[in-house]
Amino acid sequence: MPQPKDLDPYADARSFYGSELRRLREAAGMSQTELGDKAFCSDTYIGLFEMAERRPQEEMSRAFDELLGSGRHLQRLCRLARKSKVAGYFADAAELQLRASSIESYTSMVVLGLLQTASYARALTRAAHPFADAASSKDTSGRAWSAPVSSTHPRRPCSG
C-alpha cells in the first residue's frame, strides 16, 4: 500500500475533511481496508477521500460517523467540503472535467459541420417524420442546401 500523501489540512475544506477522516480512522485503529469493508466500499475509495481527490458524499460521511463514533462530525465537514462555485448538480462533473485528458460528446442522430450532405438531411427528415410523403421531405431538406451562404460567416445564410 502506498504511503499516505501529506496534506495541509487547512488548504481547503476537502483537505480538512480528508485529514479528519484519516485522523478518526487511525484513532479507531482501523486500516483503510477495514473501514472500507465495514462501510461497503473499497480501500481505494476511502484513500481518495483522505487524499482530498474525491468530493465527500453525504451517505458515506454518515456511515463513517457511525463506524468511527464521531457523532455528526464528518457529516458537517461534508456539507462544508461540498460547497462549490458551480451549481450542485454540476459540481461532480466539473471536478471530473478538471482531471479529464479529453472531452468528447456523442450524438446518435446528428452529424455536425462539413459532413452534412443533401442525402444526409433527407435521411434525417425521413427518420424524424416517417409518415411524411417523399415530396415534402425532399422539399424540406432541399431548402436548407439551396440557401446562399455568407462568405464572412459560412454557417449563416445570406438574407435575400
Side-chain angles (χ1 to χ4, degrees), residues 42-105:
S42 70
D43 56 342
T44 304
Y45 193 62
I46 292 183
L48 291 174
F49 290 135
E50 290 184 358
M51 293 183 297
E53 291 186 12
R54 180 149 178 98
R55 284 170 42 111
Q57 307 298 316
E58 292 179 30
E59 300 82 22
M60 293 306 300
S61 297
R62 187 176 306 112
F64 295 152
D65 276 336
E66 289 174 12
L67 292 167
L68 299 172
S70 56
R72 295 181 44 86
H73 182 62
L74 291 172
Q75 293 173 65
R76 288 191 303 269
L77 287 178
C78 175
R79 286 198 346 249
L80 180 65
R82 289 189 64 82
K83 287 190 178 186
S84 176
K85 293 179 182 175
V86 297
Y89 64 87
F90 185 70
D92 290 328
E95 175 188 346
L96 292 172
Q97 183 176 342
L98 291 174
R99 294 191 282 161
S101 59
S102 69
I103 297 175
E104 300 176 18
S105 65

Side-chain angles (χ1 to χ4, degrees), residues 22-35:
R22 179 180 295 153
R23 182 185 65 78
L24 290 167
R25 176 183 57 77
E26 289 174 348
M30 285 191 224
S31 67
Q32 289 179 345
T33 304
E34 291 169 333
L35 180 59

Side-chain angles (χ1 to χ4, degrees), residues 143-160:
R143 267 188 264 138
W145 296 106
S146 62
V149 177
S150 167
S151 61
T152 56
H153 297 299
R155 297 181 62 108
R156 186 182 308 155
C158 294
S159 57

